[in-house]
Amino acid sequence: MQHDPHAHTQVTEVALPAELTEPLPDDATPAMLIARTAAETALGVPGVHHLGGTVSRAADELRKRLGRSAGTAGVQVDDEDGTFAVQVSVIVTYPRNVREVADEVKRQVAAAAGQVASAPTTVDVRVLDVHGPFDDEPSPVERAATAVGDAVQDAAKATSETTKRVATATVDATKQAADATAEATKRAADATADVTKQAAEVTADVTKRAADATVDTAKRAASATAEATKQAADATADATKQAADATADATKRAADVTADAAEQAVDATTATAGRVHEAASDALDRASEGARDAADTARDAASSARAAVVDEDTATPVLASETAADAAVRAADSAEDAAQDAADAAADASEAARAAARDADQPTDPTTDRP
């Protein structure tokens, strides 16, 4: 145990109580650490016989059981608004000066507590008794205090046992409650299954009725569709018959128009042939007349030639010969032209006749005259 290095009192080694030699728990609070430090420090001060009396130790034990404070035998530590209040109860050894021992305990405990506490601390030392040479035997008061302490410990054990029994009863009650809950849950599940089954049956029945209604509706719709189709077919047949009648009438009228057009074409062809015949006759007449004119011209030229030969005047024989020759040439040209005109006229008349024949052979398209 380390004490204040500045202390001027003699430090002696003392045997610590068993409760001070046990290690502190891992969850020890600062108050518990201060209490352990204050107890060890106070026991090391010369003149201190032991900490606390029997009654004081019993009261400390009771307070500790009730959770009112943290401490050890003869030392109590209270947390008062962030300040640790340390109270140390000592028994002084005779013939030490009680005041000097109390002051030294206060000084050393304050120094030791200040080293381990993170908050301000106050120390109060109480001297409970003086231990003399004839105080080895316990007094009636100490025996009574010891009895009280034993009673407190027995009460604590009884409380622990009672707590244990209560915990066991709580576990049993919890188990019974869990069993009851499981049973209730099972019954609820069975009831839910029954309700679900009934709902499924109702749903199936409703679905069947809906399907039957759908089938009936489909049948009625099919019947209505068949009736409408029959009516449409009858209407289509009537319309087809009317269209066929109209087509037959139109075809008859077209045939009549075609016959009239053919008759008119025959008449036109006949008229054309007459006109072609007349044109050919005219052309032949003009060719004949031209030929006659050419012949007359040739005869005139020949006469002129013969006159020129028998003319007694020989002054211009060559000129007369040339004139007769020219006249003969012109007459030949005129005859050739007349012959060519006659041939052209005959060809035109022949082509007109062939064209009229082709027009008469080709039938008239009835669609062009269809109303």
Side-chain angles (χ1 to χ4, degrees):
M1 178 66 191
Q2 298 294 329
H3 298 280
D4 185 4
H6 301 289
H8 298 287
T9 59
Q10 182 180 358
V11 178
T12 59
E13 295 292 336
V14 295
L16 296 176
E19 61 182 3
L20 296 180
T21 59
E22 296 177 357
L24 288 172
D26 295 335
D27 58 347
T29 62
M32 295 175 63
L33 180 60
I34 292 174
R36 172 69 65 87
T37 303
E40 293 179 356
T41 303
L43 286 174
V45 175
V48 176
H49 186 271
H50 59 268
L51 298 179
T54 304
V55 178
S56 177
R57 288 196 298 270
D60 291 342
E61 182 68 20
L62 181 58
R63 283 194 296 269
K64 185 167 63 175
R65 294 284 184 180
L66 297 177
R68 299 291 299 276
S69 63
T72 185
V75 178
Q76 178 184 351
V77 179
D78 294 323
D79 187 358
E80 299 176 353
D81 298 331
T83 300
F84 292 106
V86 182
Q87 181 178 343
V88 182
S89 299
V90 298
I91 303 296
V92 178
T93 303
Y94 178 84
R96 293 284 186 175
N97 187 300
V98 174
R99 183 176 296 279
E100 292 179 358
V101 172
D103 291 342
E104 185 64 19
V105 169
K106 182 176 181 179
R107 190 182 66 80
Q108 290 197 23
V109 169
Q115 294 178 3
V116 298
S118 59
T121 59
T122 61
V123 179
D124 181 26
V125 179
R126 298 175 58 189
V127 178
L128 300 180
D129 199 358
V130 176
H131 183 78
F134 302 105
D135 294 333
D136 292 335
E137 294 294 331
S139 64
V141 175
E142 289 180 349
R143 286 195 297 269
T146 303
V148 172
D150 294 338
V152 170
Q153 291 181 358
D154 293 340
K157 291 180 180 179
T159 303
S160 177
E161 185 67 24
T162 303
T163 304
K164 183 178 179 181
R165 286 196 299 271
V166 169
T168 303
T170 303
V171 171
D172 294 339
T174 303
K175 183 178 179 182
Q176 293 175 1
D179 295 338
T181 303
E183 184 66 23
T185 302
K186 183 180 178 182
R187 289 197 298 270
D190 295 338
T192 303
D194 294 338
V195 172
T196 303
K197 183 178 179 181
Q198 295 174 0
E201 292 175 354
V202 172
T203 302
D205 190 15
V206 172
T207 303
K208 184 176 182 298
R209 289 199 297 270
D212 295 338
T214 302
V215 171
D216 294 338
T217 303
K219 287 182 179 180
R220 289 195 295 270
S223 299
T225 303
E227 184 66 23
T229 302
K230 184 174 181 297
Q231 294 175 359
D234 294 339
T236 302
D238 294 339
T240 303
K241 183 178 179 182
Q242 293 174 3
D245 294 340
T247 302
D249 293 340
T251 302
K252 186 173 181 299
R253 288 195 299 271
D256 294 339
V257 172
T258 302
D260 294 340
E263 184 177 356
Q264 293 174 3
V266 171
D267 294 339
T269 302
T270 303
T272 301
R275 288 193 298 273
V276 170
H277 179 69
E278 291 176 357
S281 297
D282 293 338
L284 290 175
D285 291 340
R286 286 194 301 272
S288 297
E289 186 177 356
R292 285 194 299 271
D293 291 339
D296 292 339
T297 303
R299 282 195 298 273
D300 291 339
S303 297
S304 298
R306 282 195 302 272
V309 171
V310 294
D311 192 0
E312 294 178 355
D313 190 0
T314 58
T316 58
V318 177
L319 179 61
S321 299
E322 292 178 355
T323 302
D326 292 335
V329 171
R330 285 194 301 275
D333 292 336
S334 296
E336 184 178 2
D337 292 337
Q340 184 66 36
D341 292 337
D344 293 338
D348 292 338
S350 177
E351 181 64 27
R354 285 195 297 272
R358 285 194 301 272
D359 294 337
D361 292 337
Q362 292 180 354
T364 304
D365 188 2
T367 59
T368 58
D369 297 328
R370 183 178 299 173

